[in-house]
Amino acid sequence: MSDTGPPPAYGGKRLVLLYHDLRDRLAGHKARANARWGWVHPPPGRGRLIWLRAGASRTSVRLAADLLAAIRQTRQDVRLVLSFESDYPELYTLRLQGLKKIAVGYGHCDTPGTVRRIFRRLDPFAVIAVGETPGPRFLDYLASDYHGHSLAFQMEAPLQRGHFELACPPYGVNPGTACVEHEQACDMHTLLVQAQVEPSLGGILRGNRDSLRLLWLGGIQASELDGLRQAWHAHPLSDDAVLCLSPDTDASLGEIAGLQPFSQWPRTAVTPGTLMLMDEARWLGAVAASADAIHLLRAERPVLWQALAGGAPLSLGPELAPPPLPELQNLPRLKKPAELFDHWQTRLANPLAARRQGDQARRLFWQARRQAEQVSRRLLQRIYQW
C-alpha cells in the first residue's frame, strides 16, 4: 500500500480506461466495466448508506470487509457498500455471509464525471476510504462537493488533499493535512489474527519424537524452492526438524514435487526432514502456535502479526517492511537458506534465550492488539453517532 493513487485500470487517463473497458467487455466482465464508469447500484432496502472504499491490495479489501462487518453489528439501520479495484472473494465471502442490506463489488475510475456519477448514484451520508490513497479527483470531490461524514482508515501515506473529518492512521504514518482529527496510531491487522490457538498441531506432527523441531519459513516463491530444498536436506538441522513452508501471496507451490500439502496430510506423525506446504491460509495460526522458530521472507501484515502472536523467535527477510515499532527494527535479517538454517540451529541450541525472544514477540502482539481494540471501539462509537 502506498501513495501512488489507483492502478491504471482505475486512474484518470481516458485512453487507458477505454482499453481496460474493452478488455473487460470482451471477456464478459460487464459489471466490472460498468462499475469503472460509476454505473453502480446501491443495495435495496431503506436506510442511509455508508460507503467503504477499498483499493487494489488484499490488505485494503480485508480491512474494509472486517470494518463493514463490525459496523453492521452496531448499526442495523444503514445500508453498506464495499467497493474495490481488485477482487479477492476468499477474503470477504465468509466474513460477510448472511449480512443484510449490503453490496460488494468493483469500484470506479478517477475521472471527474465518474466520481460525480458514483456519488450521485450511491448518495452516501458517510464515506470511509480504506488502506490506499484514493485518486485526486475523488479527493477533490470530497473537499469541495461532498457534505457528509468521512473517515480515512489505516491510510499508508499522509493525505494532503481532500477533506476527512477523522483519520485512523497506522503506525508511523502522519495522517496529513486533509484530516481534521486523528485517532491514536494502531494496526488494525492485529484484529484479523487468530490470537489464541492451541499448539496441538505440533504434537500430531511430532508423534512420539518430542525432540523434533517444527520450523516455519514464510513467503517462499517458486523460483526459490529448488535451492531451498537442496540446502535444507544438506543441513544437519533437517535430521531432527520439520520445515513448514507458506508461499508468497502470488506464488503457487502446489505443483512442485517433494512437498507434503497440509490439505492432503493424513493427520499422522511425519518423518524428520519433511517439507510441509501450507496450501490453505487456515493453517497459519496452528503452525505459528506450534513452531519453534519462524522466518518470514515476505508477508502481508496479518501474517506478520500471526507469527508474533505464536510466540516463537522471529527473523525476517530483507524485503519485508514491518511496522515502524522499535521492537521490530532489531529482528535478524536473513535471506540465504544456509544462513537461516545456521541461525536457527544456534538459536534453538539456547532454549532459554529462544523462549525469552518468543515471549517478547507475543507481548508485542498483545500490546498492539489491545491498542487496536481500544481505537476500534472509539471509531465504532463515532460511526454509531453519525
Side-chain angles (χ1 to χ4, degrees), residues 47-50 67-80 99-102 125-126 149 379-386:
R48 295 186 296 173
L49 186 143
I50 298 177
L67 179 58
L68 185 151
I71 293 172
R72 172 53 76 221
Q73 289 182 339
T74 59
R75 293 206 60 166
Q76 299 292 324
D77 60 312
V78 298
R79 293 173 296 157
L80 297 167
L99 299 186
K100 306 298 184 182
K101 297 196 298 184
I102 70 169
F125 89 98
H149 297 285
L379 285 179
L380 291 173
Q381 180 61 30
R382 176 103 171 218
I383 293 172
Y384 178 79
Q385 294 171 346
W386 283 351

Side-chain angles (χ1 to χ4, degrees), residues 41-380:
H41 299 282
R46 303 180 63 182
R48 295 186 296 173
L49 186 143
I50 298 177
W51 175 19
L52 293 91
R53 185 194 184 284
S57 71
R58 292 171 55 90
T59 49
S60 71
V61 174
R62 184 188 284 114
L63 283 173
D66 192 72
L67 179 58
L68 185 151
I71 293 172
R72 172 53 76 221
Q73 289 182 339
T74 59
R75 293 206 60 166
Q76 299 292 324
D77 60 312
V78 298
R79 293 173 296 157
L80 297 167
V81 169
L82 167 57
S83 69
F84 42 69
E85 293 160 2
S86 294
D87 190 10
Y88 309 97
E90 71 277 9
L91 300 181
Y92 63 79
T93 300
L94 290 178
R95 187 72 175 95
L96 305 183
Q97 189 173 15
L99 299 186
K100 306 298 184 182
K101 297 196 298 184
I102 70 169
V104 179
Y106 284 97
H108 61 95
C109 68
D110 198 49
T111 65
T114 299
V115 171
R116 289 193 299 269
R117 182 179 301 115
I118 196 167
F119 268 95
R120 184 175 66 248
R121 293 178 72 88
L122 292 180
D123 189 24
F125 89 98
V127 174
I128 303 175
V130 181
E132 296 180 24
T133 305
R137 302 293 182 269
F138 176 91
L139 293 174
D140 289 345
Y141 187 95
L142 209 63
S144 60
D145 296 289
Y146 180 67
H147 304 292
H149 297 285
S150 54
L151 166 62
F153 187 75
Q154 296 286 275
M155 287 289 175
E156 290 289 340
L159 286 162
Q160 308 301 348
R161 61 197 296 173
H163 180 86
F164 291 89
E165 67 179 78
L166 181 64
C168 173
Y171 290 122
V173 176
N174 186 316
T177 58
C179 303
V180 178
E181 301 178 53
H182 62 87
E183 261 289 356
Q184 181 182 23
C186 65
D187 194 332
M188 291 293 177
H189 294 97
T190 57
L191 303 181
L192 306 179
V193 168
Q194 300 178 59
Q196 293 176 316
V197 182
E198 291 295 325
S200 55
L201 176 67
I204 301 174
L205 284 168
R206 294 183 180 96
N208 59 3
R209 294 177 60 107
D210 293 338
S211 63
L212 190 68
R213 302 292 192 177
L214 180 63
L215 307 169
W216 172 18
L217 175 53
I220 294 295
Q221 296 178 343
S223 61
E224 300 168 325
L225 197 54
D226 284 340
L228 170 67
R229 183 165 45 199
Q230 293 176 18
W232 170 247
H233 290 302
H235 199 280
L237 188 62
S238 66
D239 295 337
D240 199 24
V242 174
L243 182 57
C244 299
L245 304 176
S246 60
D248 190 19
T249 302
D250 300 321
S252 175
L253 308 182
E255 302 298 324
I256 300 177
L259 302 184
Q260 170 63 66
F262 269 100
S263 62
Q264 301 173 24
W265 171 51
R267 308 298 193 274
T268 58
V270 299
T271 58
T274 299
L275 290 168
M276 301 289 295
L277 172 63
M278 285 182 269
D279 52 345
E280 297 173 346
R282 65 190 181 94
W283 292 103
L284 291 173
V287 171
S290 298
D292 293 292
I294 300 171
H295 181 73
L296 299 179
L297 278 171
R298 307 165 190 89
E300 294 179 327
R301 194 57 57 79
V303 176
L304 173 60
W305 286 114
Q306 186 73 71
L308 289 163
L314 176 65
S315 55
L316 305 178
E319 300 175 23
L320 199 156
L325 296 172
E327 299 89 339
L328 298 178
Q329 304 313 304
N330 296 322
L331 291 177
R333 295 284 188 154
L334 307 161
K335 184 173 184 179
K336 295 180 180 179
E339 182 184 25
L340 169 63
F341 300 151
D342 286 342
H343 169 77
W344 272 346
Q345 194 168 43
T346 301
R347 177 157 290 186
L348 295 174
N350 189 341
L352 291 178
R355 186 177 301 114
R356 185 166 56 250
Q357 292 157 358
D359 290 343
Q360 291 171 351
R362 189 183 292 110
R363 282 196 299 271
L364 175 61
F365 164 76
W366 280 107
Q367 176 184 339
R369 185 182 177 100
R370 285 191 293 268
Q371 194 170 42
E373 287 174 340
Q374 293 169 2
V375 173
S376 177
R377 283 194 293 268
R378 290 196 295 266
L379 285 179
L380 291 173

